[in-house]
């Protein structure tokens, strides 16, 4: 899979602080890429550089194999975290304007917009002023503005913030549909459940640096600690040399739940073999770390180390 | 690359179009465009109206107790004097029933006590009429006194010489041209006023537009599609065109309204002249009335001045200095707008920018008096004051080389300020949450990318 976007050793300094320190990421074509990190880590600075709102002090951005240049503005759709529209402008007129600023001609923009208005069932909004729309309606309008020019790369900064569950679902479906059609989506968020659900690649930025980068599976594997959750009846006593019993708690009906660690990295079959000799096994699961765990471990760990 | 340049131009045009249309579509724009010319036409028509209508003749009855004034005070087109032989008290009672409007009592001892004159009117007596009657009595009283001192009035009359100088400006080709300084002053005042108001009005419209984009947070979407400088220039040009449209509408409507008024008035003048002829007024009086009317018509003086300078040159200079001055100030206002988050925060930064505007307007009033002074020259060269002050000087005649020099400096000035404003703007629009200081803003100029 080729990369649609590469950031290579990007450095951005503002008076007094470094916003991005040697940041390199690779975003595969057609993926949903999660750009994660706590507030103030440098996500927005990187997004602004990709959008050519600001320029990097060092390093470069490669988009679809070319060095980033003004013509690429039309290949990117951007939904900023702070949403905004011209309040006194009519919805249709405004979307037409924004689409044309992304390089579409008027007829083409009109045709595409009509499709979206039908799809979202909002035909009667065309002549409404933006200020008369509800917040949810404004967000739909802004989402259309982000994607109407059919960009190769869509950057969504905290896309779900402020959406009600129905609109959030609608948005999720749209994101998946865009991915089907081959669009790459960069997702900046600190809401891990949406990362879990949608992303296939991630980069975690903390304190201006990339601290974690790769495919979702691969990153998770890196954080696997060879531990398992088991449920059984009976007594689990002989653990020596095979696994370490981390903790146990009783469930209903004499069932015990326990966490164990496969200290010698035995094949899973062997591990299960050892278990069923001692207890009657009810459930057996490998512990795969959630992004929430990973995030806290990486970001919080550093915070702890600093303390 | 050239394809991309075409797209870039296209985008600036789109921005200009939006900025222009959203403003021109507003009701307030049309109200201002229509109301102002009618105000101007009104200001112009009112004095003319009064010249025409102040002429209803008043009849004044005089009870001359001194017996010296009969046949001396002559009726004129405004006032008909009638001497009556009744005691003042009786005449006063009869006034309401008589045709006369005003009753005047000249006391016996008028010579020794000139303040004893009494006037009674059916309605309240207007200031003008009062002055006329007083004047008539006063001048006759003076004559009587002179006669009493044995001074021949004829000799005195011969010694009255009136000097009436007409002013001319020497042209470069040696011809003399009559310069109508009243017309020039009016025109200078109008130019100064329009440029002063437009710098403040349209400048702050640009500023509010920038603040709106920033506080709406649409700015980030916008500058992911266009360069900040393009957005700023698009807005400045769009609002500037709104200004030009407004001037155009004002010009056309004022011209139409004034022409209509003049037409209406000249019809009335003809009527008036005809009635004057019928009532047996002398040709001299009629000519005087016509001349009087022409002098009090401000438009004739202005059109004289415009003819002297050439309309094309005036329009050219007006447009150039309007555009130049507007660009300088609106780019500074745009920079201020980008640095703040709401209009009230903008106040403190606006002050230093409005000072030169106000200063040029104040200087303009001095320059009207002395359009060729050193002060006038320098004020019409310095780019922050030249837009207003050169236009104030222009109706009085300015050498072409001075206009050219001033325009060159103005262009350099606005290139400088737009460059500076662009630097501030680009950083300012993305700054939220902290109130900037002048020191902070000046640092933004040197930020990279």
């Amino acid at each position: 899979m080729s990369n649609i976007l590469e950031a290579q050793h990007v450095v951005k300094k503002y008076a007094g602080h470094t916003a991005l320190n040697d940041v390199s990421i690779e975003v595969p074509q057609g993926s949903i890429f999660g750009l994660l990190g706590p507030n103030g880590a440098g996500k927005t600075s990187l997004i602004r550089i990709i959008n050519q709102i600001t320029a990097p002090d060092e390093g470069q951005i490669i988009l679809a194999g070319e060095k980033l240049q003004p013509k690429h503005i039309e290949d990117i759709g951007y939904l900023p975290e702070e949403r905004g529209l011209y309040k006194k402008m009519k919805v249709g007129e405004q979307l037409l304007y924004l689409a044309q600023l992304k390089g579409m001609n008027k007829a083409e923009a009109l045709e595409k917009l009509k499709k979206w208005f039908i799809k979202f069932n909002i035909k009667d909004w065309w002549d409404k002023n933006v200020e008369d729309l509800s917040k949810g309606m404004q967000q739909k309008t802004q989402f259309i503005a982000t994607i109407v020019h059919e960009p190769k790369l869509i950057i969504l900064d905290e896309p779900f913030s402020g959406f009600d569950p129905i609109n959030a679902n609608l948005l999720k479906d749209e994101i998946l549909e865009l991915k089907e059609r081959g669009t790459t989506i960069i997702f900046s968020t600190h809401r891990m459940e949406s990362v879990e659900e949608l992303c296939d690649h991630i980069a975690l930025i903390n304190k201006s640096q990339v601290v974690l980068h790769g495919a979702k599976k691969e990153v998770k594997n890196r954080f696997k600690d060879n531990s398992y959750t088991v449920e059984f009846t009976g007594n689990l006593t002989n653990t020596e040399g095979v696994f370490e019993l981390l903790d146990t708690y009783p469930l209903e009906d004499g069932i015990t739940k326990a966490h164990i660690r496969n200290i010698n990295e035995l094949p899973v079959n062997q591990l299960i073999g050892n278990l069923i000799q001692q207890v009657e096994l009810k459930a057996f699961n490998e512990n795969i770390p959630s992004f929430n765990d990973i995030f806290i471990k990486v970001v919080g760990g550093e915070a702890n180390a600093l303390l | 690359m050239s394809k991309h340049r075409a797209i870039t131009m296209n985008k600036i045009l789109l921005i200009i179009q939006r900025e222009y249309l959203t403003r021109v579509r507003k009701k307030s724009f049309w109200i201002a465009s229509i109301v102002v010319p009618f105000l101007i036409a009104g200001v112009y028509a009112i004095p003319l109206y009064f010249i025409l209508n102040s002429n209803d003749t008043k009849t004044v009855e005089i009870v001359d107790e001194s017996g010296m004034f009969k046949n001396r005070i002559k009726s004129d087109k405004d006032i008909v004097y009638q001497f009556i032989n009744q005691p003042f008290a009786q005449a006063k009672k009869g006034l309401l029933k008589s045709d006369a409007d005003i009753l005047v009592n000249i006391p016996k001892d008028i010579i020794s006590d000139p303040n004893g004159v009494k006037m009674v009117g059916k309605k309240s007596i207007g200031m003008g009429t009062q002055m006329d009657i007083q004047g008539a009595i006063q001048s006759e009283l003076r004559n009587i006194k002179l006669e009493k001192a044995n001074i021949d009035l004829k000799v005195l009359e011969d010694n009255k010489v009136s000097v009436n100088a007409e002013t001319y400006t020497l042209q470069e080709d040696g011809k003399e041209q009559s310069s109508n300084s009243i017309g020039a002053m009016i025109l200078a005042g109008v130019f100064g006023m329009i440029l002063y108001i437009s710098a403040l009005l349209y400048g702050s419209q640009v500023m509010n537009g920038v603040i709106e984009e920033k506080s709406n947070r649409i700015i980030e979407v916008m500058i992911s599609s266009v360069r900040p400088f393009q957005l700023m220039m698009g807005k400045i040009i769009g609002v500037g065109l709104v200004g030009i449209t407004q001037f155009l509408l004002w010009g056309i409507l004022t011209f139409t309204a004034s022409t209509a008024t003049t037409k209406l008035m000249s019809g009335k003048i003809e009527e008036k002249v005809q009635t004057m002829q019928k009532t047996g007024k002398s040709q001299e009086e009629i000519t005087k009335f016509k001349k009087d009317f022409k002098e009090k018509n401000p438009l004739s003086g202005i059109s004289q001045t415009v003819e002297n300078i050439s309309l094309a040159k005036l329009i050219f200079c007006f447009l150039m200095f309007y555009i130049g001055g507007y660009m300088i100030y609106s780019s500074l206002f745009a920079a201020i707008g980008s640095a703040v988050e709401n209009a009230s925060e903008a106040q403190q930064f606006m002050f230093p920018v409005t000072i030169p505007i106000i200063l040029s307007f104040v200087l303009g009033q001095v320059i009207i008096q002395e359009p060729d002074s050193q002060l006038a020259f320098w004020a019409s060269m310095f780019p922050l004051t030249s837009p207003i002050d050169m236009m104030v000087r222009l109706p009085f005649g300015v050498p072409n080389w001075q206009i050219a020099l001033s325009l060159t400096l103005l262009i350099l000035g606005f290139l400088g300020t737009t460059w500076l404003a662009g630097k501030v703007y680009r950083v300012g629009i993305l700054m939220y949450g902290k109130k900037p200081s002048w020191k902070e803003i000046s640092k933004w100029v040197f930020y990279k990318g």
Side-chain angles (χ1 to χ4, degrees):
Chain A
M1 210 189 313
S2 66
N3 294 326
I4 182 142
L5 181 87
E6 287 177 24
Q8 298 172 342
H9 308 287
V10 170
V11 176
K12 180 76 187 173
K13 286 178 181 147
Y14 290 109
H17 88 285
T18 304
L20 296 169
N21 185 6
D22 195 23
V23 165
S24 297
I25 60 166
E26 290 172 1
V27 180
Q29 166 82 50
S31 65
I32 298 183
F33 187 95
L35 188 61
L36 319 179
N39 291 326
K43 286 174 297 181
T44 303
S45 293
L46 182 60
I47 289 174
R48 283 183 179 167
I49 288 172
I50 298 170
N51 275 309
Q52 302 183 64
I53 292 172
T54 52
D57 296 334
E58 285 170 42
Q60 60 177 0
I61 305 284
I62 306 291
L63 189 91
E66 287 178 313
K67 201 168 183 287
L68 196 66
Q69 48 194 278
K71 68 165 185 181
H72 288 133
I73 280 173
E74 280 125 55
D75 297 329
I76 300 177
Y78 174 39
L79 180 73
E81 180 175 7
E82 298 282 359
R83 315 287 155 69
L85 294 164
Y86 288 108
K87 298 240 180 308
K88 302 232 180 270
M89 243 178 137
K90 297 206 161 78
V91 175
E93 210 179 337
Q94 173 144 211
L95 286 172
L96 209 52
Y97 176 58
L98 294 173
Q100 288 182 85
L101 285 181
K102 281 289 187 186
M104 292 180 99
N105 68 46
K106 199 172 177 179
E108 190 188 358
L110 203 60
E111 192 197 311
K112 290 270 153 57
L113 282 173
K114 273 185 189 156
K115 276 190 192 157
W116 281 105
F117 272 66
I118 292 166
K119 182 164 188 190
F120 280 179
N121 201 17
I122 54 172
K123 272 182 284 180
D124 47 338
W125 292 6
W126 189 273
D127 278 324
K128 271 192 185 165
N129 271 342
V130 170
E131 61 186 350
D132 298 330
L133 298 185
S134 72
K135 208 176 165 205
M137 290 157 106
Q138 288 188 24
Q139 280 170 330
K140 269 189 194 167
T141 308
Q142 189 134 33
F143 181 71
I144 296 174
T146 309
I147 53 163
V148 66
H149 58 295
E150 301 186 343
K152 290 181 201 158
L153 175 66
I154 294 173
I155 302 174
L156 307 171
D157 199 349
E158 293 292 354
F160 296 109
S161 79
F163 269 70
D164 62 48
I166 295 169
N167 277 331
N169 255 336
L170 188 83
L171 181 62
K172 209 186 302 168
D173 292 345
E174 284 309 321
I175 290 171
L176 290 171
E177 214 179 299
L178 285 165
K179 183 193 148 119
E180 294 276 284
R181 276 191 262 145
T183 313
T184 312
I185 294 137
I186 295 181
F187 223 140
S188 159
T189 187
H190 46 245
R191 300 243 299 236
M192 293 306 139
E193 66 278 9
S194 53
V195 178
E196 210 78 61
E197 209 178 332
L198 294 168
C199 296
D200 16 59
H201 283 73
I202 64 127
L204 177 56
I205 298 183
N206 191 32
K207 299 202 171 71
S208 320
Q209 281 177 306
V210 176
V211 289
L212 204 59
H213 184 236
K216 177 160 85 174
K217 258 213 178 111
E218 181 206 333
V219 169
K220 285 203 168 190
N221 280 338
R222 235 185 290 164
F223 279 81
K224 274 201 303 205
D225 54 359
N226 277 314
S227 73
Y228 298 82
T229 304
V230 291
E231 286 174 29
F232 53 83
T233 51
N235 277 329
L236 188 62
T237 47
N238 183 13
T239 61
E240 211 161 304
V242 183
F243 52 78
E244 183 187 350
L245 191 59
L246 297 170
D247 51 29
T248 60
Y249 10 23
L251 301 176
E252 291 160 0
D253 303 328
I255 296 174
T256 308
K257 183 177 178 179
H259 288 107
I260 58 171
R261 179 171 288 138
N262 181 358
I263 43 175
N264 291 330
E265 298 189 24
L266 294 174
V268 175
N269 270 357
Q270 233 173 315
L271 194 67
I272 294 173
N274 189 291
L275 283 168
I276 57 177
Q277 281 170 17
Q278 303 183 52
V279 295
E280 180 154 350
L281 203 55
K282 301 276 180 196
F284 180 90
N285 273 310
E286 187 178 14
N287 287 339
I288 305 214
S290 70
F291 272 112
N292 211 26
D293 297 336
I294 296 172
F295 188 92
I296 289 167
K297 197 165 181 182
V298 173
V299 175
E302 249 182 51
N304 286 338
L306 279 176
L307 281 174
Chain B
M1 199 60 204
S2 70
K3 187 196 166 215
H4 189 74
R5 181 163 296 163
I7 292 171
T8 305
M9 274 313 295
N10 199 14
K11 284 182 185 177
I12 297 185
L13 286 179
L14 276 168
I15 295 167
I16 294 172
Q17 191 186 34
R18 191 201 86 89
E19 298 293 337
Y20 180 79
L21 287 179
T22 49
R23 285 178 176 79
V24 168
R25 277 188 204 150
K26 276 187 192 160
K27 267 193 213 113
S28 55
F29 173 83
W30 288 99
I31 291 171
S33 296
I34 290 166
V35 167
V36 170
F38 281 99
L39 282 178
I40 294 173
V43 166
Y44 152 71
I46 286 165
L48 299 187
Y49 179 83
F50 278 106
I51 296 172
L52 284 171
N53 288 284
S54 63
N55 288 346
D56 51 336
T57 316
K58 293 230 158 36
T59 308
V60 175
E61 288 182 341
I62 299 178
V63 177
D64 181 15
E65 290 172 6
S66 70
M68 288 186 288
F69 290 86
K70 193 157 189 184
N71 299 329
R72 293 192 84 123
I73 297 181
K74 298 260 163 39
S75 302
D76 61 15
K77 68 177 160 70
D78 296 327
I79 300 172
V80 174
Y81 293 100
Q82 290 170 352
F83 286 82
I84 52 172
N85 288 319
Q86 277 176 5
F88 181 61
Q90 198 187 329
K92 211 157 77 177
K93 277 181 198 152
L95 181 63
L96 283 175
K97 278 174 228 149
S98 82
D99 294 334
D101 301 289
I102 296 165
L103 178 67
V104 177
N105 182 32
I106 302 176
K108 235 181 196 131
D109 54 350
I110 178 81
I111 304 254
S112 56
D113 179 16
N115 292 332
V117 178
K118 283 199 184 93
M119 251 183 242
V120 184
K122 259 185 191 164
K123 288 180 264 174
S124 75
I125 303 166
M127 181 73 106
T129 314
Q130 187 192 339
M131 302 285 272
D132 285 348
I133 298 170
Q134 276 175 3
I137 297 171
Q138 198 174 305
S139 80
E140 281 319 310
L141 189 59
R142 184 171 150 272
N143 288 346
I144 293 165
K145 281 189 166 184
L146 286 169
E147 278 169 23
K148 289 208 161 168
N150 278 331
I151 294 168
D152 193 344
L153 281 180
K154 257 226 147 103
V155 177
L156 208 66
E157 225 30 68
D158 286 346
N159 277 316
K160 264 193 193 165
V161 187
S162 117
V163 177
N164 215 337
E166 276 192 63
T167 52
Y168 293 93
T169 331
L170 197 64
Q171 294 302 103
E172 277 162 17
D173 53 10
K175 274 189 203 154
E176 286 172 351
Q177 189 179 49
S178 89
S179 71
N180 188 321
S181 58
I182 297 283
M185 273 170 100
I186 293 173
L187 204 59
V190 169
F191 281 144
M193 201 67 186
I194 290 178
L195 284 160
Y196 170 71
I197 291 172
S198 63
L200 285 175
L201 190 70
Y202 300 113
S204 55
Q205 275 201 27
V206 169
M207 187 185 77
N208 290 329
V210 174
I211 294 175
E212 184 203 359
E213 277 169 352
K214 194 178 167 183
S215 61
N216 271 354
R217 308 269 177 167
I218 185 139
I219 193 74
E220 204 157 342
V221 173
M222 291 302 295
I223 56 173
S224 70
S225 306
V226 295
R227 313 293 317 141
F229 189 71
Q230 293 169 355
L231 181 59
M232 187 183 91
M233 288 315 284
K235 186 178 288 295
I236 289 175
I237 295 169
V239 175
L241 289 175
V242 174
I244 290 176
T245 309
Q246 189 134 58
F247 294 146
L248 215 63
L249 284 171
W250 283 348
I252 293 168
L253 283 173
T254 308
F255 179 76
T256 317
S258 313
T259 314
T261 322
T262 312
K263 274 252 167 69
L264 205 75
M265 292 286 174
S266 53
K268 289 228 165 148
I269 292 169
E270 278 311 306
E271 268 174 43
K272 191 83 194 173
V273 168
Q274 274 169 19
T275 48
M276 281 170 99
Q277 278 163 346
K278 271 182 204 158
T279 49
K281 302 279 164 164
S282 69
Q283 194 56 43
E284 201 178 314
E285 267 180 294
I286 293 168
T287 326
K288 187 180 170 290
F289 168 75
K290 279 184 175 169
K291 195 179 162 219
D292 199 35
F293 190 82
K294 203 178 171 192
E295 268 169 12
K296 286 190 185 158
N297 182 347
L299 212 63
S300 64
I302 292 173
S303 59
Q304 180 67 50
T305 309
V306 171
E307 259 170 49
N308 290 350
I309 298 171
S310 107
L311 186 63
K313 188 172 166 187
L314 269 183
I315 291 177
F316 170 79
C317 287
F318 179 81
L319 280 178
M320 292 307 282
F321 282 99
Y322 163 74
I323 292 168
Y326 165 77
M327 293 282 259
I328 285 189
Y329 282 107
S330 59
S331 60
L332 292 175
F333 277 119
I336 293 172
S338 75
V340 300
E341 278 174 55
N342 53 58
S344 64
E345 240 180 73
Q347 291 302 322
Q348 55 158 325
F349 294 106
M350 270 175 79
F351 191 55
V353 179
T354 46
I355 281 180
I357 303 180
I358 294 167
L359 181 74
S360 14
F361 188 65
V362 172
L363 283 176
Q365 290 167 13
V366 181
I367 290 167
I368 281 189
Q369 310 296 325
E370 287 294 330
D372 286 317
S373 60
Q374 284 272 333
L375 176 77
F377 175 78
W378 290 111
S380 63
M381 290 298 142
F382 182 57
L384 285 177
T385 53
S386 68
I388 291 180
D389 292 337
M390 182 55 100
M391 284 315 290
V392 168
R393 276 185 73 197
L394 203 65
F396 300 97
V398 178
N400 284 337
W401 70 267
Q402 289 191 12
I403 295 175
L405 177 62
S406 172
L407 275 176
T408 313
L409 291 172
L410 187 62
I411 290 166
L412 291 176
F414 87 64
L415 289 178
T417 48
T418 44
W419 175 81
L420 200 71
K423 291 271 179 188
V424 171
Y425 179 85
R426 153 201 79 127
V427 179
I429 44 176
L430 291 171
M431 289 282 177
Y432 288 99
K434 58 175 174 183
K435 239 179 160 178
S437 60
W438 280 111
K439 202 178 147 198
E440 174 88 19
I441 291 174
S442 60
K443 274 190 203 157
W444 296 352
V445 176
F446 303 104
Y447 275 16
K448 287 171 288 170

